[in-house]
Amino acid sequence: MKYIISTLLTLAIAVGIASPVQAKRGSDGQLNLLYWQAPSTMNPNLSGGTKELEASSVVLEPLGRYDENGNLLPWLAEVIPTVANGGISKDLTTITWKIKKGIKWSDGSALTADDAVFTYEYCSNPDTGCTQSNYWNDIKSVKAVNSRTVKIEFTVPKPFPYAPFVGYNAPILQKAQFDGCQGAKAQECTEQNFHPIGTGPFKVVDFKPNDVIVFEANPNYRDTSKPAFGKLVFKGGGDAVSAARAVLETGEMDYAWNLQVEPEILIKMEQGGRGKVVSAFGTSVERLMVNFTNPDPSLGDMRSEYIGGNNNRNAHPYLSDYNVRRALSLAIDRQVLVDAGYGKAGKISCNVLPAPAIYASSANDECKTPNVAEANRLLDAAGWKRGSDGVRQKGGVRISILYQTSTNSVRQATQAFIKEMWKQIGVETELRNLSASVFFGGDISSPDTYQKFFTDIEMYTNNFSGTDPQTYMSNWTCKEMAQKRNKWGGNNMPRWCSPAYDALSAKMSISSAMKDRIRLTKEMNDMLMQDYAMIPLIHRGNVSAHSNTLSGVRMNPWDSELWNIADWTRK
Amino acid sequence: MIHYIFRRTLIAIPTLLVISFIIFAILDLAPNDPTGNLPMTVPPEVRAKIRSSLGLDEPMHIRFGLWLVQFCVNEPLNLLHEGFGISIGDAENRTRILSWATRSPVVDLIIQRTPQTLWVVGLSYLFGILIAIPIGIVSAYRQYSWFDQVGTFISMVGFSVPTFFTGMVAIIIFSVQLRWFPMIYDTTLVVDSWQNFVSQVKQMIMPVAVLALYNASQLSRFMRASILDNLNLDYVRTARAKGRSERAVLLIHVLRNSLIPVVTLIALGIPTIFSGAIITEQIFRVNGLGQLLIIAIEGADIPLVQTLTFIFAVLIVFFNLIADVVYGILDPRIRYD
Amino acid sequence: MTENTQSTEIAGDERFPEEELETLTQHRSLWGDVWRQFRKHKGAMAGVIVFIFITLAVSLGPLIQGIEPSAINFSERNFGPTLAHPLGTDNIGHDTLAQMLAGGQVSLAVGFSAMLIALLLGTLIGVLAGFIKSLDGPLMRLTDLFLALPILPLLLVIILLFRDTLRTLYGPEAGIFMLIVFVIGITSWMHTARIVRSDVLGIKEREFVIAAHSIGTRKRRIIFRHILPNILSPIMVSATLGIANAIITESALSFLGLGFPPDFPTWGRLLYDGANFIQITPARVIWPGLFIALTVLSVNYIGDGLRDALDPRLRGR
């Protein structure tokens, strides 16, 4: 008898060990994340940057979100509404979302459509100062048809209506908690802003702004076996290199976000074998903006102003010459820039719109190979002769470029390379770098903002969220030009204007067929690239690092990097 | 002396008012903007709305006046209410100074950060003093001996090599290679057991050592110079002639007189505990007041910068007065009145 | 300080043989004495030699080496020391030695100019505050104001106001140089001023000053002849600390985008840029750090020697 029992016991133990460990909620202990830019609030609607959106995404969830390939998945909703399944009306003005059954807030109460309606009212209230309010544009009304159905009515037909309640920019807030915090009161609801109640896998235990956030597993999360980690510590501060070090060399942290670091440093750290560097490509393109207007300081008020129908009164002295722009682009060896500054986290980009792949044009790929000889030939033929100092000039105008960007070691390296490359075609360059909060600040009294563009060339990265490029491509229409009269609030920094482009953009806003949208996007992209309104350099990916003991990470450039943190486990 | 203290305290008030106004003007003129760190995808109309919700549309003198009232009246009343339970006026609806980045009261942020700042930066200042004084004394007494040469070399390296470098080297040696100490400071660690106490010490050693080296380097040079000045004075020769032991001469007569300028230096350096360790705090992620200040400046968070800088100004004026008073008491030759 | 010793000839006196008379009649000036005492100070002489070596290296070195500091060779990045690149290269392809030499010129120039401005301002304000009672209050309040100013926003404002004008008048590099030296100078004088003032307050009550005052010596003469030479000690220490502080502050400014253009090497910048690469190309960090420390060390020893040489109690011992 004893023999049988012990055999059975041994068998049971053996089976228990051999079978895959069924993770229980909290069984993997503590997870440590390191975001070197520390979040200052947990309310994404009052966020100061991507870091707040990431932090809040483990607590607050949207109806639908993007996976790592850009596919739209139903998250809190049952299905993604489409015209085919009746979720979107045929005239494209309404969309109806149906919420899954049985979803509870972390305090035990049920999620209802009223919470969704409240979220819309919270952000669209003009006194709230909501940073995500452009996700709630063109909405006529949001109604709760029943406790689990939300109906959104737009003021114009929307071929792509997936902005509200989709992604980490527009999650649902709990009405019971945030009621009374709308409008001007949003500033004072510190308790709610720091400890939002959500449906996500974690809930906030302690929030120290710009320092550390402590979470614990949400007891009312819909999947009882998840999350595998009982405690989550979200530490912030410091710089990117030491963040990489904490994961890859000392192992104190499990995950580090946004490692904008030279590739050789990351490679060396990875050799230690404790962690892995992962990257994913979204829509970010580092590009050179070309100023089509004259930024000469002696023009005073008229610096970088677009005057006249075909801009012949304040045209840039040399950048308005197509040959000069093309020569500048031909002289750049983009592979060197990628190797020196980005490594795995960058690819050459010849388009201002590199992704999603269906929209990427292949008409401009000649930029992948530099051609200094052709650049020199073009400039010679156009009459730009080298002077005694080696700098090309024509009619008293020297090609001397003032090139600005923000302070960042990789950007400064890129500047150094490009300066040297342009020297080979007889172009003189002066480099300038400015603190990011000044360059991107938009302060009207500062002459150094990227909107004012008081230099000849500027460099930065732009992108768009989600997968639909319509708003992004409309950035370069004539009415978007950043000028004094709109307080430099436009998105068209090069001050490039083409009626043909404007027509294409207008057409895209009324085309609903996918093949038409793809064709129009490619045409607009090619028009910009072939006139060298901008010179694209690098398609930048997001780079993070995680410990080798962590599994389940699916690096996502379209949504939060922590989108599937409920599925992460310790190996 | 009392008369002097009284006069100085009275003058401090208009001085601080002028200082706070100049600081506010500089912050306002500075070309950075609170919406500067928002992602590119946020359009300009939204940014304009955010700015007006922060109150940036008001003219400068109104904003300054508002801040002044909030700082001088509302915040102290709030402190009385929360700290001591004394309520004067409407406790619930008092407008407090709010940080633009976190939308939470500035004073709460400051109170939250003070413990780690005092522990790490304060301790390092103390250790710096405790190391610098003996080193300065021995270096001066045995001028040009090997101790002096080595000490001089180390202190030169100590203050000419910036703390970001020494901090980084310390991390690479002690955290990465030897794995003795953690490189990230855990601000949530509560010291309630022996185990936690050991962890707290372990995570404090590197930042405290790096800062103490920097402080000690500077202070030891002044200590040495001060002792050298005194070692050749007549009263030292008299004491020796009277037959006092070298030890007594050095530690009783010379040290007391040499400490006078050094003590004033120490008093002047105390405000820097709160604002000066910015880089070290960032490297080790100690996330104290220095890091708060630098984040606020980069994010153009004017209420937070204004309040923090003004508190530093008050500390500076206060400790300058203390330094002057101490100097007046210790050195009988000084006359203020 | 004692007056010049004039010898009197005592002819025909057996107590004074001819040779000794010769020595006695040699003109011995104050500064000659100082130099003689200075020469005896081994550390100071070493400091002078090291300092002259560094200055010569950075002025003549670029001419000897012949590589432009901004020359980039894409295929030679992150090299260790080789024949063609004795100190290796950085991650962009610059030759580290060329950058060190060119950077030295800028760092030394910035360090010394800024330090001189801070020293002059600090000493001036400290002496005035200590010596003239009516100026003490206002000047010390001014010091409090400058101590309380937040440096970073102040810098942003100054650069905003002056950069373009200076750039058009003097060219980008010279304009920024003036701006940086000015900014560092006006934000580092406070410490020196306080220390100098403390010392002046003490010396002012000493007997020889009271004696000088009582024989009718004018205030200016008292300051230059009696007070200044006796407060040299803290001034020298401040000078040493000031150079190190200026070089490092310049690198911090570049980090914030408020300094020289990014392709303009300085030792502080080289140190800062190279810090992250310490495990890949350590030479890149060690050399700038070493040279900053050496510069500071040599100035320190020179200061030590000067102070000893100017101290009448030590001279001639």
Side-chain angles (χ1 to χ4, degrees), chain A residues 548-570:
Chain A
N548 282 335
T549 62
L550 194 61
S551 84
V553 175
R554 282 159 65 187
M555 184 73 176
N556 188 342
W558 308 102
D559 204 307
S560 166
E561 288 184 19
L562 306 176
W563 68 292
N564 67 337
I565 194 172
D567 302 335
W568 293 10
T569 55
R570 184 75 69 195

Side-chain angles (χ1 to χ4, degrees), chain A residues 34 40 46-49 126-127 129-131 133-134 187 190 194 207-212 214 235-239 242-243 245-246 249-250 252-253 274 437-438 440-443 446 450 460-465 489 491, chain B residues 29-33 35-44 46-47 49-51 53-54 98 101-105 109 112-113 116 168 171-172 175-176 179 181-188 282 285 287 291-292 295 298:
Chain A
L34 183 52
S40 41
L46 299 177
S47 73
D127 296 326
C130 178
T131 47
S133 55
N134 58 315
Q187 313 291 333
T190 312
F194 285 0
F207 179 78
K208 292 195 165 78
N210 291 319
D211 183 10
V212 67
V214 180
K235 177 86 184 173
D239 64 296
S242 62
R245 186 168 285 138
E249 292 193 319
T250 67
E252 273 164 67
M253 291 281 144
R274 296 185 138 237
S437 60
V438 173
F440 296 118
D443 188 339
S446 165
Y450 77 107
Y460 57 90
T461 294
N462 203 348
N463 58 11
F464 59 97
S465 39
N491 286 308
Chain B
L29 265 180
N32 54 3
D33 185 86
T35 61
N37 291 323
L38 285 174
M40 292 286 206
T41 47
V42 178
V46 177
R47 290 173 195 249
K49 267 194 262 168
I50 296 172
R51 280 196 207 106
S53 77
L54 296 173
L98 290 177
T102 65
R103 312 292 202 293
S104 68
L109 287 174
Q112 204 174 59
R113 302 247 170 166
Q116 54 256 38
M168 203 186 60
I171 288 180
I172 291 181
S175 292
V176 177
R179 294 201 199 293
F181 308 123
M183 64 179 269
I184 297 189
Y185 189 90
D186 181 4
T187 35
T188 60
Q282 277 203 300
R285 296 180 174 82
N287 293 341
Q291 189 242 19
L292 185 65
I295 288 187
E298 282 175 4

Side-chain angles (χ1 to χ4, degrees), chain B residues 4 8 11-12 15 18-19 22-23 25-27 29-32 143-144 148-149 152-153 156-157 159-162 164-165 168-169 172 176-177 214 217-218 221-222 224-226 228-229 232-234 261 264-265 268 294 297-298 305 309 312-313 316-317 320 323-324 327 331 333-337, chain C residues 41 133 136 140-141 143-145 147-150 152-154 156-157 160-161 191 194-195 197-199 201-202 204-206 230 233-234 237-238 240-241 244-245 248 251-252 255-256 268 271-272 274-276 278-279 285-286 289-290 292-294 296-297 300-301 304-305 307-308 311 313-314 317:
Chain B
Y4 178 70
R8 282 285 295 270
I11 294 198
T15 312
V18 170
I19 292 181
I22 294 184
I23 294 177
I26 291 180
L27 290 177
L29 265 180
N32 54 3
Q143 200 184 17
Y144 308 131
D148 186 24
Q149 310 286 22
T152 304
F153 184 73
M156 292 298 135
V157 170
F159 67 71
S160 51
V161 175
F164 70 77
F165 186 67
M168 203 186 60
V169 169
I172 291 181
V176 177
Q177 312 277 19
Y214 189 71
S217 305
Q218 305 200 34
R221 301 312 299 166
F222 280 108
R224 178 180 177 275
S226 180
L228 277 178
D229 276 348
N232 298 310
L233 290 182
D234 293 338
T264 50
L265 258 181
L268 287 172
I294 196 77
I297 290 179
E298 282 175 4
V305 183
T309 330
F312 295 152
I316 289 171
V317 170
N320 275 356
D324 279 343
Y327 198 54
D331 190 341
R333 298 173 294 188
I334 308 296
R335 257 182 279 269
Y336 287 125
D337 294 317
Chain C
H41 190 298
K133 206 167 305 199
D136 186 20
M140 282 301 107
R141 303 291 74 76
T143 314
D144 287 347
L145 169 68
L147 279 170
L149 287 179
L152 297 174
L154 177 68
L156 284 174
V157 170
L160 166 74
L161 295 173
H191 213 51
R194 292 233 36 125
I195 297 171
R197 170 188 173 266
S198 307
D199 264 21
L201 280 178
K204 199 172 60 153
E205 311 292 339
R206 295 274 284 273
N230 283 304
S233 178
V237 180
S238 289
T240 319
L241 295 179
N245 177 57
I248 301 300
S251 76
F255 160 55
L256 296 164
L271 185 62
Y272 187 78
N276 284 330
I278 192 173
Q279 295 174 293
V285 204
I286 295 180
L290 188 64
I292 295 178
L294 274 178
V296 172
L297 255 174
N300 170 69
Y301 276 115
D304 256 8
R307 200 209 37 236
D308 280 358
D311 186 349
R313 289 178 286 264
L314 287 177
R317 265 212 275 148

Side-chain angles (χ1 to χ4, degrees), chain A residues 217-479:
Chain A
N218 178 358
N220 288 306
Y221 187 60
R222 50 190 179 277
D223 186 333
T224 47
S225 64
K226 293 186 182 164
F229 294 97
K231 187 169 168 195
L232 172 64
V233 173
F234 195 112
K235 177 86 184 173
D239 64 296
V241 174
S242 62
R245 186 168 285 138
V247 172
L248 299 170
E249 292 193 319
T250 67
E252 273 164 67
M253 291 281 144
D254 299 308
Y255 189 92
W257 163 87
N258 198 12
L259 303 174
Q260 296 170 10
V261 163
E262 285 83 359
E264 51 262 46
I265 299 180
L266 287 177
I267 292 174
K268 183 108 208 290
M269 289 189 187
E270 240 185 325
Q271 284 168 359
R274 296 185 138 237
K276 205 158 78 132
V277 175
V278 288
S279 55
F281 287 85
T283 56
S284 302
V285 174
E286 178 90 337
R287 83 284 297 275
L288 298 176
M289 290 302 199
V290 175
N291 198 343
F292 280 71
T293 56
N294 194 345
D296 190 349
S298 64
L299 288 176
D301 259 0
M302 287 291 115
R303 279 180 97 171
S304 296
E305 287 286 305
Y306 180 87
I307 307 174
N310 50 0
N311 196 27
N312 58 1
R313 282 195 280 145
N314 196 23
H316 195 286
Y318 49 84
L319 287 176
S320 42
D321 182 344
Y322 167 82
N323 295 301
V324 173
R325 300 196 299 274
R326 182 168 155 75
L328 289 176
S329 176
L330 281 174
I332 299 178
D333 186 346
R334 290 164 174 77
Q335 191 60 49
V336 167
L337 302 179
V338 169
D339 291 339
Y342 298 88
K344 265 200 288 187
K347 300 194 270 213
I348 297 181
S349 182
C350 293
N351 295 311
V352 72
L353 183 68
I358 43 173
Y359 297 102
S361 158
S362 53
N364 308 302
D365 287 351
E366 69 156 358
C367 94
K368 291 192 178 161
T369 348
N371 195 337
V372 173
E374 170 69 8
N376 276 318
R377 189 198 66 77
L378 261 180
L379 288 171
D380 285 327
W384 295 94
K385 297 274 179 270
R386 285 184 199 255
S388 53
D389 54 0
V391 177
R392 288 185 186 271
Q393 48 175 309
K394 177 163 104 169
V397 177
R398 292 171 80 242
I399 307 187
S400 174
I401 296 182
L402 178 55
Y403 170 6
Q404 71 176 3
T405 184
S406 74
T407 305
N408 173 304
S409 62
V410 172
R411 285 204 165 129
Q412 265 73 85
T414 308
Q415 280 187 304
F417 283 123
I418 292 185
K419 174 171 174 167
E420 191 65 19
M421 291 165 188
W422 282 347
K423 198 156 153 208
Q424 296 172 357
I425 57 169
V427 169
E428 175 184 78
T429 321
E430 181 192 333
L431 302 179
R432 179 185 290 176
N433 62 323
L434 305 145
S435 155
S437 60
V438 173
F439 188 56
F440 296 118
D443 188 339
I444 299 190
S445 56
S446 165
D448 291 329
T449 62
Y450 77 107
Q451 296 101 324
K452 282 200 181 168
F453 203 174
F454 283 175
T455 59
D456 307 300
I457 297 263
E458 65 185 7
M459 176 172 78
Y460 57 90
T461 294
N462 203 348
N463 58 11
F464 59 97
S465 39
T467 51
D468 183 69
Q470 177 180 323
T471 324
Y472 180 67
M473 296 311 282
S474 73
N475 278 347
W476 295 288
T477 50
C478 295
K479 73 172 180 358

Side-chain angles (χ1 to χ4, degrees), chain B residues 228-299:
Chain B
L228 277 178
D229 276 348
N230 277 291
L231 269 180
N232 298 310
L233 290 182
D234 293 338
Y235 70 87
V236 174
R237 205 174 341 155
T238 313
R240 286 191 182 127
K242 276 167 61 182
R244 298 281 266 147
S245 70
E246 266 310 281
R247 204 158 182 229
V249 169
L250 188 61
L251 293 177
I252 298 180
H253 296 286
V254 177
L255 184 59
R256 268 173 68 178
N257 289 310
S258 312
L259 270 181
I260 296 173
V262 174
V263 161
T264 50
L265 258 181
I266 292 177
L268 287 172
I270 294 184
T272 61
I273 296 180
F274 297 93
S275 66
I278 290 177
I279 295 177
T280 313
E281 282 190 9
Q282 277 203 300
I283 295 179
F284 292 98
R285 296 180 174 82
V286 173
N287 293 341
L289 288 174
Q291 189 242 19
L292 185 65
L293 179 63
I294 196 77
I295 288 187
I297 290 179
E298 282 175 4

